[in-house]
Amino acid sequence: TTPDPALTEAIFQRSEGNPFFLEELVRAASLQPDQAPADVVPPLLSDLLASRLARLSPDAQLVLRVAAVGGRRIEHDRLSAVLPLDFAAMDAALREARDANIITTQQSADRYEFRHALLHEAVYADVLPGERRTYHTRYAELLAATPARSGIEAWAELAHHWRAAGDPGRALTAMIEAGLAAEAGYALPEAHRYYEAAVELWDPAHRDGKDGTTTVALDRDELLARAADAASRAGALE
């Protein structure tokens, strides 16, 4: 049978061309058809990846968990600012993770990258809820303190961390700014996505008497109008 285009795209993106990963993702998707393709984690893959991580030292596992909260790719300075380890321990842990083929180093960009998207997913899934919120908060505070923050990606990343940190008010502010930046740059699909996310955040950000404490660039009516306009112009007519 011809697979659904969304399923094909999701599996292509997540497998990154690895035939074994691709087969396992297809198998998992066929066994769990009610789940979104991006949410299906094959048990065999999960066990294999978890076993690789379990062989690392506690410091290396900590470094990887903090890095995973930061994203698939993480700059050295940002990681060191959030990580509760001294330089020597951090350096040794990063070398161990690199030698285990969990991460790669990009010298020109001064950053690290998880070797595969599913490795990143496996490490992030291992981060405990409280730990996850703590590190998302630290990343958000670090990004918010950056004086030269501008552009679509910077605002979207800040919104992501505030949202995961459990602060819908600040997430809403950053998400609207991401939508405005995307719209100004004629990145209409991105603008649509960020405005839709902002609509979802609106009620949580103003709940429990918080109305008036969240500073946003748009009121709700204008946000809905811009979301609808971006959807129309991006071709998301449904």
Side-chain angles (χ1 to χ4, degrees), residues 51-130:
S51 68
R52 290 183 62 184
L53 299 173
R55 292 194 291 266
L56 301 176
S57 68
D59 278 355
Q61 292 184 41
L62 173 61
V63 166
L64 289 173
R65 290 198 304 273
V66 176
V69 173
R72 169 82 185 274
R73 301 170 184 84
I74 184 74
E75 289 78 14
H76 176 85
D77 289 345
R78 188 180 299 180
L79 178 61
S80 63
V82 174
L83 191 66
L85 287 177
D86 60 36
F87 172 78
M90 175 181 171
D91 184 63
L94 285 167
R95 287 181 180 277
E96 182 182 353
R98 184 198 61 186
D99 293 343
N101 287 322
I102 306 296
I103 61 171
T104 61
T105 58
Q106 298 179 330
Q107 300 291 352
S108 59
D110 196 26
R111 68 183 182 184
Y112 311 98
E113 178 177 357
F114 282 87
R115 185 170 290 276
H116 197 281
L118 290 175
L119 272 173
H120 174 240
E121 288 185 33
V123 176
Y124 187 76
D126 189 51
V127 184
L128 295 175

Side-chain angles (χ1 to χ4, degrees), residues 20-238:
F20 173 66
F21 288 171
L22 187 147
E23 285 190 5
E24 291 303 315
L25 288 168
V26 171
R27 193 190 316 278
S30 66
L31 294 175
Q32 304 176 62
D34 295 334
Q35 284 190 262
D39 296 333
V40 177
V41 179
L44 178 58
L45 286 185
S46 179
D47 291 343
L48 284 173
L49 298 175
S51 68
R52 290 183 62 184
L53 299 173
R55 292 194 291 266
L56 301 176
S57 68
D59 278 355
Q61 292 184 41
L62 173 61
V63 166
L64 289 173
R65 290 198 304 273
V66 176
V69 173
R72 169 82 185 274
R73 301 170 184 84
I74 184 74
E75 289 78 14
H76 176 85
D77 289 345
R78 188 180 299 180
L79 178 61
S80 63
V82 174
L83 191 66
L85 287 177
D86 60 36
F87 172 78
M90 175 181 171
D91 184 63
L94 285 167
R95 287 181 180 277
E96 182 182 353
R98 184 198 61 186
D99 293 343
N101 287 322
I102 306 296
I103 61 171
T104 61
T105 58
Q106 298 179 330
Q107 300 291 352
S108 59
D110 196 26
R111 68 183 182 184
Y112 311 98
E113 178 177 357
F114 282 87
R115 185 170 290 276
H116 197 281
L118 290 175
L119 272 173
H120 174 240
E121 288 185 33
V123 176
Y124 187 76
D126 189 51
V127 184
L128 295 175
E131 187 182 27
R132 185 178 299 181
R133 179 172 292 195
T134 295
Y135 292 133
H136 275 298
T137 300
R138 291 183 184 176
Y139 278 118
E141 291 172 344
L142 186 64
L143 290 169
T146 303
R149 185 181 67 255
S150 63
I152 303 171
E153 292 185 2
W155 283 114
E157 186 177 16
L158 181 60
H160 161 71
H161 284 300
W162 279 132
R163 191 175 194 176
D167 193 327
R170 289 175 177 172
L172 173 63
T173 299
M175 197 70 78
I176 288 178
E177 292 293 343
L180 291 171
E183 186 177 351
Y186 299 99
L188 298 177
E190 288 77 9
H192 171 217
R193 184 167 68 251
Y194 299 141
Y195 285 144
E196 287 283 352
V199 170
E200 294 177 5
L201 285 165
W202 189 273
D203 286 342
H206 293 83
R207 190 177 294 149
D208 301 328
K210 294 180 180 179
D211 197 11
T213 63
T214 301
T215 304
V216 293
L218 306 174
D219 61 29
R220 190 171 186 275
D221 289 343
E222 189 174 3
L223 172 60
L224 291 170
R226 285 179 178 267
D229 181 61
S232 176
R233 292 197 287 160
L237 301 181
E238 73 281 4

